[in-house]
Amino acid sequence: MPLARSLSVTSLSGLEEWDEEFDLEDAVLFEIAWEVANKVGGIYTVIQTKARLTAEEWGENYFLVGPYVESNVRTQVELIEPTNPTLRRTIDKMNASGCKVYFGRWLIEGSPYVVLIDVAFTAWSLDRWKAELWDLCDIGVPWFDREANDAVLFGFLTAWLLGEFAAQSEEPPHIVAHFHEWLAGLGLVLCRHRQLPIATIFTTHATLLGRYLCAGNVDFYNNLAEFNVDKEAGDRQIYHRYCLERAAAHCAHVFTTVSQITAIEAEHLLKRKPDIVTPNGLNVKKFQAVHEFQNLHAQSKNRIQEFVRGHFYGNLDFNLDKCLFLFIAGRYEFSNKGADIFLEALARLNYLLRVNHSDVTVIAFFIMPARTNNFNVETLKGQAVRKQLWDTAQTVKERFGKKLYESLLVGQLPDVSKILDKEDFTIMKRAIFATQRQCQPPICTHNMLEDSSDPILNCVRRIGLFNSSADRVKIIFHPEFLSSTSPLLPMDYEEFVRGCHLGVFPSYYEPWGYTPAECTVMGIPSVSTNLSGFGCFMEEHIADPSAYGIYILDRRYRGVDESCNQLTSFLFQFCKQSRRQRIIQRNRTERLSDLLDWRYLGRYYIAARHMALAKAFPETYLYEPHDPTSTTGFRYPRPASVPPSPALSRHSSPHHSEAEDNEEDERYDEDLEAEKDRVNIRQPHTLGFKNKTNNTVHAKPL
């Protein structure tokens, strides 16, 4: 039976298991992206985490292609001689013709081969290639758009590389070239125009025009069919970029995107319906100890608490044991990432906590890189004061311990009134006086270059959350990526996320959403929206997402004020949870990590490559599309045991009796609940491919 696959797969069970496998011995995969060994955004994470699985599938025939950036190569790439004879001849020929092409291993999981092209070295060809692009496609690239100039150079060089590889091959190979985003898309267009024997795939992780339109505060999703795309792109001076992206989408054998919400967007803006949705995954690592991630949460939380002690010195009038850490992180797009609605919800949450006389304090971190010139002096002073207090306490403790030891040695109980002398009290008083401050704890940890026009700071001024003692919600804006070498908050991003209680990502435009996905894998509950790919994916595969710590905010069918009220409700109910309920919820959240494992989601990319091979080489690979009778997907049921939130519980208040706690203990069985969840999802399968003498491919449904 010919290869049979659905053209519009939106659930994990939409792809049947392959009972026969592709012969990949004479097939070669090139994956081309501007973010190969070059971190710019989320595409870097996609390629980096997926590399191990793809390398297992393709072995020595898998090559990543990206730009040569010397600072990145020094720390991430081991340069070696090409192992593939055909590729060695290709690179030698290009280098002899005035290019600089490097070969090596990317030092990440899977150690994939990388081909890195020095774009700047061939900048002398830019005008000639721009003229050729105009003659071929009627696309003109302005001289001042440096990013588009790089895209032109990178596109022509990758097309040259692929064409030369095909020419140097002794036997006609079956080449698959997978291009990510518009920056790499021109190479695909040139491959098709030159009629190279290559199966092409184009993946858009977010449409250019969609990102620009959403940043302009338009009612994007309700007017998708109404936009004059050419005019909108022209008004924003990105028409040439839009044309490159649209050309790549239409020229590709297979067009994919990362989520169903982005597929709808691409169909209207790029005028082509994606052939398949390829959700983004992560490499999920399971601990041998089932609840080890809970221990890591406690350790990381302690480190965040140390920072908070310093940041709020002199105003530390709240109980850190009843303090919840919330955070939002990502690219600094104030509206697109939902920072605006998050701040408004925090103001409303502050009011609710105060009028209900809650003893819970919420500290909300904003981790969004912005333009700064240095650390805030007051913030650095806070950490210095905290360290000084710690050193003072250690000094007094040593003196106290020595006197206690000597008293016990002679067989006497110590006189507590004499064990601390005047000098000890003097040291402690001086330490206490040093903690006095005449101002509120700072909102921002750095000195902003554009303080008066910064969106987050202006919104904070409007809502009046200035970290005062009366406020139950505090805000810390950290306009820099986290680093374990920082003198202020010495934690890397993963460690910081593990220490928080809730990630809040109320994005208006989020094609996928790696930040909530990373929270889920680490067992941290999160807030997402039904306009993000991650949120839609979880809604589809979980019967009751909030029971598993995945709160889906409705930003598609509700107005801004209604969405803000819904987010405030989510946050307030989360604050009312007991510590035990949060632990139960984290256990449930972590169990969802299997859904985000590349060993599940990688099958979408496998299907896309098989589709492309069948379309480009129909005489060798047969393909017959069909409509599935059902694509029900995985559906995690709602847990039958104790609800994670008081809002859904029989208790009207988080303060209930000890007897009721015992009753909950009897109702909740972690192992039984986990076993029920495992029934709803298949175990990850190991991808294996065997050699065949017959290259014709067959597959049939189970």
Side-chain angles (χ1 to χ4, degrees), residues 154-309:
F154 189 57
F156 273 88
L157 287 166
T158 53
W160 185 353
L161 174 77
L162 294 170
E164 192 65 43
F165 183 87
Q168 293 288 341
S169 300
E170 296 175 358
E171 296 181 3
H174 296 122
I175 303 173
V176 181
H178 191 154
F179 297 81
H180 292 267
E181 280 294 307
W182 72 276
L183 279 164
L186 179 56
L188 186 153
V189 176
L190 294 172
C191 286
R192 294 307 304 276
H193 182 269
R194 296 170 184 176
Q195 298 183 344
L196 299 178
I198 296 173
T200 57
I201 306 169
F202 180 66
T203 297
T204 179
H205 297 258
T207 67
L208 267 171
L209 189 54
R211 192 178 292 280
Y212 275 84
L213 286 169
C214 286
N217 294 322
V218 300
D219 188 3
F220 180 65
Y221 290 98
N222 290 324
N223 293 288
L224 269 175
E226 310 299 327
F227 289 119
N228 182 336
V229 291
D230 294 316
K231 178 182 181 302
E232 297 290 351
D235 289 346
R236 288 158 178 78
Q237 299 185 10
I238 57 164
Y239 188 66
H240 54 290
R241 297 185 180 194
Y242 168 74
C243 289
L244 290 173
E245 182 181 40
R246 184 167 168 176
H250 282 266
C251 289
H253 289 102
V254 174
F255 174 43
T256 81
T257 189
V258 296
S259 64
Q260 197 60 37
I261 193 79
T262 314
I264 297 169
E265 174 189 338
E267 186 175 359
H268 286 93
L269 300 186
L270 299 180
K271 308 301 180 184
R272 179 177 176 182
K273 183 178 180 180
D275 297 287
I276 188 170
V277 172
T278 52
N280 293 332
L282 288 163
N283 287 329
V284 177
K285 297 179 181 177
K286 292 291 185 180
F287 296 105
Q288 288 185 347
V290 178
H291 296 309
E292 178 62 21
F293 75 96
Q294 296 278 15
N295 298 331
L296 293 174
H297 165 74
Q299 294 168 15
S300 298
K301 183 181 70 174
N302 288 338
R303 298 195 61 182
I304 297 175
Q305 286 178 338
E306 284 300 300
F307 167 79
V308 169
R309 288 186 177 99

Side-chain angles (χ1 to χ4, degrees), residues 404-458:
L404 176 63
Y405 172 66
E406 290 175 348
S407 177
L408 294 175
L409 273 178
V410 297
Q412 296 178 358
L413 290 174
D415 186 349
V416 179
S417 62
K418 296 180 180 179
I419 204 164
L420 290 175
D421 56 27
K422 288 184 178 180
E423 185 179 353
D424 294 326
F425 281 104
T426 301
I427 292 174
M428 290 188 289
K429 286 178 181 178
R430 290 180 61 182
I432 291 172
F433 290 161
T435 64
Q436 296 177 359
R437 72 194 312 173
Q438 305 303 319
C439 59
Q440 303 281 13
I443 298 291
C444 188
T445 59
H446 292 60
N447 295 323
M448 302 290 290
L449 288 178
E450 299 168 349
D451 182 287
S452 61
S453 60
D454 183 79
I456 288 180
L457 295 181
N458 280 339

Side-chain angles (χ1 to χ4, degrees), residues 685-696:
H685 63 282
T686 302
L687 298 171
F689 294 87
K690 57 187 178 183
N691 296 333
K692 296 183 186 175
T693 55
N694 182 3
N695 283 337
T696 302

Side-chain angles (χ1 to χ4, degrees), residues 63-109:
F63 305 99
L64 287 160
V65 181
Y68 177 85
V69 181
E70 187 173 356
S71 59
N72 294 332
V73 171
R74 286 177 181 173
T75 57
Q76 298 184 41
V77 179
E78 177 190 8
L79 297 177
I80 59 175
E81 287 296 315
T83 55
N84 184 297
T86 305
L87 189 59
R88 184 189 298 114
R89 293 193 297 270
T90 300
I91 292 176
D92 291 343
K93 182 76 177 292
M94 290 183 69
N95 287 337
S97 302
C99 300
K100 267 194 176 180
V101 184
Y102 300 85
F103 184 85
R105 279 193 182 275
W106 192 2
L107 301 179
I108 58 174
E109 283 190 87

